Structures are given as structure tokens and as C-alpha cells.
Amino acid sequence: MDRRNIELKIFGLIASMAAGMILLAGVALTVATRHADVRERQYEQTLVGNGLRQRGKEVQTALNPYVIWDEAIIKLDNQYDPAWASQNIGASLGGALGYKVVFVLDADGKPIYGHLNGKDVAPEAYARYAAPTGRLVDAIRKIETNPKKVAELRAVHTSRVELIGDEPVLITVSLIRPDLKAKTRGARAPLLVTGVPVANSVIKTFSERFLLHDAHIEVVKPDAIRTDAGQAVMGKAADGRRVVLRWTPRRPGEELMKSASPMLALAVLAAAVGSFLLFRVTRRAAKKLLLSEAEAKHLALHDPLTGLANRTLFTDRLIHAHALLRRKPGHLGVLCIDLDRFKEVNDSYGHDAGDQLIREVARRLVGICRETDTICRLGGDEFAIIQPDTTPSGAATLAQRVVDGLSGEVDLSIGRAELSCSVGVAVVSDAEQGQAELLRQADVALYRAKEAGRGRFTFFEPEMDAALRLRKGLERDLRAALESEALNVAYQPLTDVRGAMIGVEALARWTHPERGEISPAIFIPLAESCGLIGLVGAAVFRRACYDSLRWSGLEVSVNVSAIQLSSPGFVDEMVATLAETGARADVFMLEITETALLKDSDGVHEALRRLKRLGFRLALDDFGTGYASLSYLRRHPIDKLKIDRSFVSSLPGNTESMAVASAIVSLAKSLGLKTTAEGVETRGQFDALVKLGCSEFQGFLLGRPMPADAIAGVREAAKVR
Ligand code: C2E
Ligand code: CA
Ligand code: CA
């Protein structure tokens, strides 16, 4: 965990505490206001419910003078008088009191008088009202059969909001009773049916009384009854629909909230500022604390750059996994991973880019491995994986996935880098071998994988040990030889067609203190793979510079490895050596191989151009063995092709070699390049090459590599000849 993370954590803690407090206050306030709103609505609902009942009572009370009346019993029951009904019932109730619906039913429930919207109508018009009023009529008749109840009540009414058509109407059915001494003909009395539409205008006056906001009538299905809005059910239609009075309840809580919200915002701001200050104060103290605990612990066991396990944790896990083998038989795999040419990325793009690449590799490895595997960065560009509970083929699968996963181009902020890696694998099935030995074996296998050409994985085999020890020893000795300037340089003559020496090739020579002469064919690749080639090349070039001062008119060839050419400081180093020794660039022919051009990076191209501008000339060595391509020759400023020894050695008998040599010579001619045939050992080869048009020759026939001191003598002898 890095410092930023910890600070974020502290800040998060304080911020979440503050946020929590604000949230709590907010929730409390919301609950309180919600509560207040609910209370207000319930209060309004009760009020409206009472109001509606009150309104019903008012309607009923207004009817009392008409339904508790001896004359009504006489004129409507004893002897029905239609004129009386029209004058006293219709005109008064329908006209003056404004009842839209007025009917009189006789003792048998049959309509005998009707009055609608201010006009008398035929009693049959009651048909439309029969169904909705039926329930009310039944209720009244039921009361009527209970003499005790009737005696108790002065007036007998039932009221209800019913749907007439789609219009809600407050229907009241009243029992017509005597006020003094009149008597009905039979046991039953006539009934008065009145109706007032609960029109919105009526609601309006009603709502004004109760200060209801936006009150209106709705006819809704039962499931549309809402409990959150203000409403009162006024009636239930025969089809089950409800007639409801709805309004928008007042929300005192919400209003309070609204008026309080600026204050609330201020409080939030204050809390934010407060928590920020608190954060600043606590940060230092908390940082120390956390650093000493968690981070120190994490740092002790993890690589800070990638967050992967470090060597300590890795060793710990390896010991653990190894110990498990004793209890549970199986295989334990260890993979050592090394990025190919990571140093080049670091050297040419800088350390930031190197770090980026390492982080990307770590990210990919995490994606490739299982959770039970331990991935570790051992240091630099070396990684390792512990694969517990596996099989040899399981380890091979993982190794292949690592090789595949860590290949291809990687985008770095500064440019693109080619990624590839080598993997060494060691697998053990018993706990006999120590865990340290397992890691060593994986490391040996890794070395082999690199040697075998990189971008691959190799399993450890016991034979590898001996070869590796030899190699390691040689590497150490070469380093020592470079430090003590024990490397020598031999020069091999190059001649023209007549055999006159026109140049020499500088060849590195190393005499090992115990093993004697060691071939450059062995120590040059070794130097290339262990990063010493730059030192070897520089030593040879410096020697060649000094020696070149002794010879006039001799071209001096120096071999330059592909690795040198693509290393960023190479050209500057050459310039510095020229300056230091006083040698001239134009006597030198730098021999490069096709592999160097194959990289074809901008860096290589630019290095070649700079060398050309400095006066160096360039030869393509071992031509014909590599990926010889015309386009390379055109793109790069090459002066000479060196026909590889393998073609020369089979001349003149081998027709295929003749064809290749002939093709190279004519190609060179067409491009204006010189050709040197390498490894000329016989007169026959020489003559064949001369015939083909080759211009320069090098080989044991013309001169073996020799010390610098010997060159002048040989040159003289040739002149004399
Ligand atoms: P090269 O550049 O092709 O050098 C020519 C090699 O052919 C030399 O081997 C030389 O001794 C050998 N040779 C010359 N004439 C004949 C011949 O008639 N017959 C046979 N069989 N061989 C002949 P050497 O000195 O063993 O060098 C081997 C390779 O090591 C060189 O091949 C070159 O690639 C590399 N090398 C040598 N010195 C240096 C150096 O200073 N820097 C770099 N980068 N590479 C070097
Ligand atoms: Ca050469
Ligand atoms: Ca060569």
C-alpha cells in the first residue's frame, strides 16, 4: 500500500463519517417531515370524512319538514293527490331547495310521483334510479319493521353517494312519517327519494369550508384507491367502483424541509470543510501509524513497483508449498521468467518506460495465473511463479501461456516496445529435494531457454548443470579478461585480384589462462548473451584504432554486433574512441550482419546514417546466410558485401554455390557495391571467384589472422613477390 492509498483511506474514513452524520441528520429530518405529512393527511381525511357525514346530515335535516308531516301522509298515502305532490313536494324540494332528483314511492315501493331538474316527470322515470336506490330503500324498510328503532328516531333517512349513469349523486331515501296524528293505510309508509349531484361545484364550496387544495371527485376501480394521497370514499357503485373525493393534502413537513434546506446545505458545507480540516490534522498522525503497521508489513513482503510478492514472501510460500508435498503427494512447479532484452528498453527509453513495462508484465501475469499460484518479482526483469499441486504437463501449459502472454508489442507512454520472455521450469514430485534447489533448477532451465534463442520455455534437465557451470565460469573469466585488458586482436589480410593486401579484418582473440585459445565463435555469442559484447567491441575497436595509425592505405575492417548497433550510446562511443586515439573514421569498414538490419528499427537506421556521415564505410558480413533482402540493401547505406564462407568452400565444383556466388556478385555490381569473398582456401576457389567478377578476397590462402606486428612484413613480402 503506498502513501497515496493511505491518505485516500483516511480521507475516505473522515469523509464517510461526515457523510454518515449528514445522512443520519437527513434521514431523521426526512422521517420527521414524512411523519408530519402523514399526520396532516390523516387529519385532513378525518376532517373531510366528518364533513361529508355532516353534509349528509344537513341534507337530511333539510328534508325533515317534508317527511315528518301529517299532510304528506294524507296526500301521498291515504288518498294520493298528484297536484298536492307537484306543489308541495316538487316545487319546494325541486324548485326552492334545488334537489335535482325527487321521487315519491308508495307503501309498496311503486313510484307515484317524479320530479327531475325542476320539472315534474312521469313516475316511470324512476326506473333509472331503481337499481342504485334499491339498497337504500331496503335499509329503510328494514328499520321500519323495527318499531323500537322507529320510535327512537324522529326522522328516518339513509343517504349514500350513488352513480347515476356516470354521475355521482348523493341519494337520500326518507321514510314519510306523521308529525301529529295521521296514520298510514297499511303497515308501511311512503318514501321520499331525493338526489343532489355531488358536482364539482358542490365540492368546491365544500372544500372551501375545509381548505382542501385541488379537491375533485373521481370514480375509480377499488384497486385505484390510494392511501398516500388525500381522499375520502363517498360511495360505492353497484359495479364495485368507488366514488372518491380526492385532494392534494398539505405537506407541512415538506414545506418545512424547503425552508430549512438552505440551512441544511450550509450545514453540509460546514461538515465538508470541517472534515477536510480534520483530515489534514489527522493525516500526519494516522499516516505514521498506518505506515508503521500495514504499509511496513506490506512493503516487507511485496514489490513496491508491481505489488507482487517479493523474494521474502516468495521464499516463504515456496517453503510452505514444499512442506505440503510431504503431506499431500503431487507435483510442485516453479517457473523463472526473464524478459528478453529488457535492458534495451531501459537503455533506449529510460527507466520510467522500463517501470511501465514491468508493471504491464505483472498485470499480465496476474491475468494468466490462478489465485493459488504465487507470482513474485525477484528483482529487475526477473519474475517467478510457484505453481502448487500441479503436474509436469500443467507446468508446461502455464509456461506456454506465460510465453504467449508476454509476447508482442506493448504500448508505453514513450513508444512501443517489443515484449518477449524466456521461462525456465522445474517440477518436483517428492520433498527430497530442497526448495532452494528447486528454484536453482528453474533458474538453470531459464538460462538454457535464453541460450536456445529466447521467447520459449525449457524444463530443467540434470545435464544442464554441468554445461551451465562451464558457461558461468567462462563468463566470469571473460569479464576478468576485459578488466585486465587481456583480449588481443589478430588481423587477417584482404587482397585484390592480384593478391596485393588492401585491407585487414580485426578479429578478437582470447587466450584463457587455463584453457588456452578460445574461439570467438564461442566467446562472442557468450558476450552477446551476457551483456559484455559492448565492452568486447569497444576493446577491439580501440586496439584497431591504434594499430591503424601504423598502416597507410590499408582498410581496417571491424566487426560490429547487432546488439552494439542498437544500443543508444554506441555511435558517440565510437566518436570518442576516434578522438582519443587520433584514428580516422574513413580507414574503417564496419562489418555488420543482416540480423542487425532485420531489426530495422529507427535507432539502427539512424546509427548507420550517423556512422556514414562520420566517414565510416559499411559492409554486410556473412552475406547470403541470413534474410538477405534487396530492400535492406537499398534502404541502408551499404558499401560492400562479404560472400559467406559456406558458399566459397564448395567452389568451384558445387553448381548451386556457383550460382549463389555469381548472383551475389552481379547484385553487388548492379548496386555499385564491392564484394569480398571470405574463407578462400584454395587456388581453385580463388580462380573461380575471380572469374565471377569478385573484387576482394580473404582466407587462409591469402593470409591467416596474425598479430598487428606481422602485417607490415607480410605486406612488404607480397609487394616483393
Ligand atoms: P567473421 O566476421 O566471418 O570472421 C571471419 C572468420 O573466418 C574468422 O574466424 C576467421 O579466422 C575465419 N577465417 C578466415 N579465413 C578463413 C579460411 O580460409 N578458412 C576458414 N575455415 N576460416 C577462415 P574467427 O576469428 O574465429 O571469428 C569468428 C567470428 O567471430 C567472426 O566471423 C566474427 O563474426 C566474430 N568476431 C570475431 N571478432 C569479433 C569482434 O571483434 N567483434 C565482433 N562483434 N565479432 C567478432
Ligand atoms: Ca567479419
Ligand atoms: Ca564473415
Side-chain angles (χ1 to χ4, degrees):
M1 200 186 335
D2 60 12
R3 176 170 302 174
R4 248 211 95 61
N5 265 338
I6 293 167
E7 289 186 0
L8 277 174
K9 266 209 165 147
I10 298 174
F11 188 72
L13 199 74
I14 294 171
S16 54
M17 261 165 60
M21 274 158 62
I22 292 168
L23 199 74
L24 214 70
V27 167
L29 203 67
T30 314
V31 167
T33 54
R34 176 94 32 98
H35 198 68
D37 287 349
V38 169
R39 289 256 306 269
E40 172 68 16
R41 196 182 66 232
Q42 284 169 345
Y43 171 69
E44 280 183 5
Q45 248 154 228
T46 318
L47 214 63
V48 170
N50 289 342
L52 281 173
R53 240 163 286 134
Q54 184 66 32
R55 167 84 183 139
K57 286 239 173 67
E58 280 170 16
V59 169
Q60 292 175 354
T61 313
L63 290 170
N64 281 348
Y66 301 89
V67 295
I68 305 175
W69 192 11
D70 277 3
E71 208 176 328
I73 291 289
I74 294 159
K75 299 290 185 194
L76 298 176
D77 178 75
N78 298 163
Q79 177 67 57
Y80 176 55
D81 181 347
W84 185 91
S86 176
Q87 257 170 27
N88 294 280
I89 301 294
S92 318
L93 290 176
L97 292 178
Y99 288 87
K100 294 282 182 252
V101 180
V102 182
F103 282 100
V104 176
L105 310 182
D106 69 7
D108 301 322
K110 188 173 147 264
I112 49 174
Y113 171 74
H115 184 97
L116 288 175
N117 301 319
K119 284 192 197 98
D120 282 346
V121 294
E124 289 72 32
Y126 180 68
R128 224 183 135 214
Y129 301 87
T133 38
R135 288 184 290 183
L136 294 172
V137 171
D138 291 348
I140 288 283
R141 291 297 186 204
K142 207 162 168 196
I143 297 169
E144 195 182 11
T145 54
N146 185 344
K148 237 178 101 189
K149 194 148 194 194
V150 176
E152 234 169 66
L153 297 166
R154 214 171 82 81
V156 183
H157 304 280
T158 55
S159 298
R160 204 183 166 101
V161 175
E162 293 284 352
L163 279 180
I164 307 298
D166 259 340
E167 192 185 21
V169 176
L170 175 65
I171 302 280
T172 303
V173 177
S174 316
L175 192 66
I176 301 178
R177 307 178 62 193
D179 58 336
L180 292 170
K181 54 186 190 305
K183 281 211 162 48
T184 51
R185 285 179 293 138
R188 293 181 164 188
L191 300 177
L192 175 71
V193 178
T194 54
V196 202
V198 201
N200 284 331
S201 59
V202 174
I203 290 306
K204 193 163 167 265
T205 52
F206 176 77
S207 65
E208 268 163 12
R209 201 158 105 195
F210 293 102
L211 296 175
L212 298 184
H213 182 64
D214 194 24
H216 60 282
I217 299 282
E218 278 179 30
V219 179
V220 297
K221 297 224 178 81
D223 55 15
I225 297 289
R226 286 162 39 190
T227 50
D228 58 333
Q231 68 180 5
V233 178
M234 302 170 76
K236 187 174 159 192
D239 63 4
R241 286 189 297 164
R242 309 288 201 270
V243 178
V244 293
L245 171 66
R246 276 199 174 149
W247 68 94
T248 310
R250 268 185 296 135
R251 294 175 175 277
E254 200 178 86
E255 280 154 29
L256 184 79
M257 191 79 146
K258 255 185 213 154
S259 56
S261 57
M263 286 297 288
L264 208 66
L266 222 67
V268 169
L269 195 75
V273 170
S275 55
F276 180 68
L277 290 176
L278 186 64
F279 162 67
R280 294 226 330 205
V281 172
T282 2
R283 180 167 64 174
R284 227 164 278 162
K287 189 155 65 186
K288 268 189 202 146
L289 233 138
L290 285 173
L291 267 176
S292 57
E293 301 252 353
E295 193 180 27
K297 200 168 168 188
H298 193 267
L299 272 180
L301 297 177
H302 292 84
D303 165 45
L305 180 63
T306 59
L308 297 179
N310 67 7
R311 204 180 265 274
T312 311
L313 183 57
F314 179 81
T315 310
D316 199 52
R317 294 260 174 93
L318 191 56
I319 291 171
H320 183 72
H322 191 259
L324 272 182
L325 265 190
R326 258 181 238 282
R327 277 190 271 140
K328 187 171 171 253
H331 289 86
L332 170 62
V334 171
L335 281 72
C336 280
I337 303 157
D338 193 287
L339 302 187
D340 300 332
R341 299 182 197 89
F342 173 69
K343 199 174 166 296
E344 289 171 38
V345 173
N346 238 353
D347 288 349
S348 46
Y349 288 140
H351 286 281
D352 277 351
D355 285 358
Q356 266 181 41
L357 187 64
I358 290 295
R359 269 197 295 266
E360 171 63 13
V361 166
R363 198 186 63 76
R364 292 193 189 182
L365 285 177
V366 168
I368 289 167
C369 289
R370 292 211 188 128
E371 256 171 25
T372 46
D373 301 339
T374 298
I375 313 168
C376 156
R377 182 172 174 227
L378 293 173
D381 60 340
E382 281 175 66
F383 296 82
I385 300 171
I386 303 170
Q387 197 187 15
D389 199 16
T390 183
T391 58
S393 79
T397 306
L398 178 60
Q400 187 61 54
R401 288 181 63 194
V402 169
V403 169
D404 293 343
L406 301 187
S407 68
E409 288 197 330
V410 179
D411 283 321
L412 303 175
S413 57
I414 203 159
R416 288 194 155 178
E418 188 70 36
L419 180 62
S420 87
C421 75
S422 305
V423 180
V425 189
V427 176
V428 286
S429 58
D430 58 66
E432 293 308 298
Q433 249 166 35
Q435 103 285 330
E437 172 63 10
L438 186 59
L439 185 58
R440 192 194 68 81
Q441 289 181 358
D443 203 43
V444 169
L446 170 64
Y447 206 92
R448 246 322 147 79
K450 281 198 167 287
E451 216 177 29
R454 299 155 194 261
R456 69 186 67 206
F457 73 90
T458 306
F459 267 75
F460 172 78
E461 282 155 26
E463 308 82 86
M464 288 178 183
D465 267 348
L468 184 77
R469 263 195 294 276
L470 184 76
R471 229 195 118 101
K472 285 277 183 195
L474 218 55
E475 197 181 305
R476 196 184 52 233
D477 296 342
L478 178 60
R479 210 176 284 272
L482 281 164
E483 268 161 26
S484 59
E485 298 189 6
L487 282 195
N488 276 317
V489 178
Y491 294 92
Q492 183 176 31
L494 271 75
T495 70
D496 62 13
V497 220
R498 290 187 310 278
M501 194 192 298
I502 52 170
V504 290
E505 177 176 2
L507 294 162
R509 290 291 175 263
W510 179 26
T511 311
H512 190 277
E514 289 135 36
R515 296 172 199 274
E517 284 276 337
I518 294 185
S519 164
I522 289 177
F523 73 80
I524 294 293
L526 177 76
E528 282 178 333
S529 70
C530 70
L532 290 175
I533 190 64
L535 291 177
V536 172
V540 172
F541 182 60
R542 176 176 288 104
R543 190 70 254 147
C545 280
Y546 282 121
D547 290 335
S548 73
L549 299 176
R550 315 206 222 152
W551 310 311
S552 69
L554 270 194
E555 179 183 271
V556 180
S557 291
V558 173
N559 293 287
V560 174
S561 153
I563 294 176
Q564 286 175 276
L565 204 58
S566 53
S567 92
F570 173 65
V571 180
D572 293 337
E573 218 175 276
M574 297 285 278
V575 172
T577 308
L578 286 178
E580 176 199 326
T581 57
R584 289 167 40 177
D586 58 12
V587 305
F588 288 101
M589 175 69 75
L590 302 181
E591 297 191 2
I592 58 175
T593 56
E594 289 161 277
T595 37
L597 301 185
L598 199 65
K599 287 189 150 194
D600 207 26
S601 70
D602 290 345
V604 169
H605 192 74
E606 182 52 29
L608 292 178
R609 298 232 158 251
R610 276 186 71 196
L611 289 169
K612 269 300 272 193
R613 278 203 297 274
L614 287 167
F616 288 102
R617 271 161 299 146
L618 305 172
L620 214 45
D621 206 353
D622 306 341
F623 193 78
T625 56
Y627 307 86
S629 151
L630 264 180
S631 67
Y632 293 152
L633 297 179
R634 289 229 180 81
R635 210 167 326 146
H636 300 290
I638 306 294
D639 300 281
K640 185 199 273 194
L641 301 183
K642 292 189 81 172
I643 304 170
D644 190 66
R645 200 163 67 232
S646 58
F647 302 113
V648 174
S649 62
S650 49
L651 292 182
N654 189 312
T655 48
E656 206 177 308
S657 293
M658 278 296 272
V660 172
S662 148
I664 294 174
V665 172
S666 56
L667 170 69
K669 270 198 184 130
S670 71
L671 292 169
L673 311 178
K674 290 193 280 184
T675 41
T676 302
E678 293 183 313
V680 184
E681 292 181 351
T682 65
R683 191 78 221 181
Q685 290 165 354
F686 184 81
D687 290 341
L689 288 158
V690 171
K691 215 181 265 168
L692 287 176
C694 189
S695 50
E696 294 176 7
F697 307 86
Q698 181 182 0
F700 294 167
L701 176 73
L702 306 147
R704 295 209 168 228
M706 60 191 84
D709 295 341
I711 289 293
V714 172
R715 212 177 164 191
E716 280 313 309
K719 262 187 200 159
V720 171
R721 240 190 336 205

